[in-house]
Amino acid sequence: MPQTAYLGLSSTVGDRAANLLRTLSSLVIGDIRLSGASSIYEVEYAPDDPKMLTMIVAVTAPRLEPFAFLNYCLATETRISRKRMMEEGRRSVEVDLLLLEDLVVDEIRNGMELILPHPYLHLNRSLLVPLTEIAPYLKHPLLGETMSHLLGAAEDSSMVWVYRG
């Protein structure tokens, strides 16, 4: 039976929309299939910060071992030439593993830390808005609340709207 993972894709520099789409096409190869994708959203955390584009994708595969899949996500960032910027929050692309089925993981292995569900998922409108678009009734594995409920309760004040290009 296929497993589903939810990934957050984001970009703050360059052709942000193209960065997201290039990342998406790099992720979906081999046994990994796209099973859902949100709209692309623009996010403003503060007026002086660069605006971020973000989207959530659901992918399925026959078997997704958590650390191997995290490595795959990081390798995808490298394959598409992720550029780490000196300033906090600036990146050509980032892939965050948000959820993998209902797994709960908080472990370091070979120097790599994996926390599932993503530790800020329930607090962050830039994750909750697109995730609620594609999976409003998906339950947070630790909190037992739906994404829709968590979005309604989020105190995050960032502005999130559908990107119009």
Side-chain angles (χ1 to χ4, degrees):
M1 182 157 173
Q3 293 181 299
T4 301
Y6 291 88
L7 307 173
L9 313 182
S10 59
S11 177
T12 59
V13 297
D15 186 340
R16 300 168 302 156
N19 290 343
L20 293 181
L21 297 177
R22 190 170 47 253
T23 302
L24 178 56
S25 66
S26 293
L27 282 167
V28 181
I29 57 175
D31 285 344
I32 299 174
R33 305 277 186 238
L34 181 67
S35 58
S38 73
S39 303
I40 295 176
Y41 288 85
E42 193 156 25
V43 180
E44 182 178 78
Y45 291 107
D48 295 338
D49 289 345
K51 290 187 178 105
M52 176 177 72
L53 289 190
T54 189
M55 68 185 301
I56 301 293
V57 297
V59 296
T60 58
R63 170 115 172 84
L64 295 172
E65 191 282 321
F67 275 92
F69 194 63
L70 176 60
N71 271 326
Y72 176 76
C73 292
L74 296 174
T76 299
E77 289 179 349
T78 302
R79 262 195 323 273
I80 59 168
S81 301
R82 176 181 180 183
K83 293 178 177 57
R84 293 183 183 268
M85 307 300 169
M86 295 304 292
E87 291 183 55
E88 181 68 27
R90 294 184 183 264
R91 57 192 169 267
S92 58
V93 70
E94 185 169 16
V95 179
D96 287 317
L97 178 54
L98 305 175
L99 295 161
L100 178 54
E101 293 292 321
D102 59 355
L103 287 179
V104 176
V105 177
D106 188 350
E107 185 178 336
I108 297 174
R109 195 182 294 173
N110 299 324
M112 185 181 313
E113 182 177 30
L114 176 60
I115 301 173
L116 288 174
H118 188 284
Y120 302 112
L121 174 61
H122 64 291
L123 304 172
N124 193 325
R125 288 178 43 80
S126 69
L127 299 173
L128 288 169
V129 169
L131 185 53
T132 297
E133 177 188 336
I134 63 171
Y137 303 110
L138 179 67
K139 288 194 174 185
H140 190 286
L142 289 173
L143 303 176
E145 299 289 348
T146 65
M147 295 303 134
S148 181
H149 177 84
L150 292 172
L151 176 58
E155 295 179 12
D156 176 10
S157 63
S158 59
M159 301 296 296
V160 181
W161 62 91
V162 173
Y163 177 66
R164 299 290 180 206

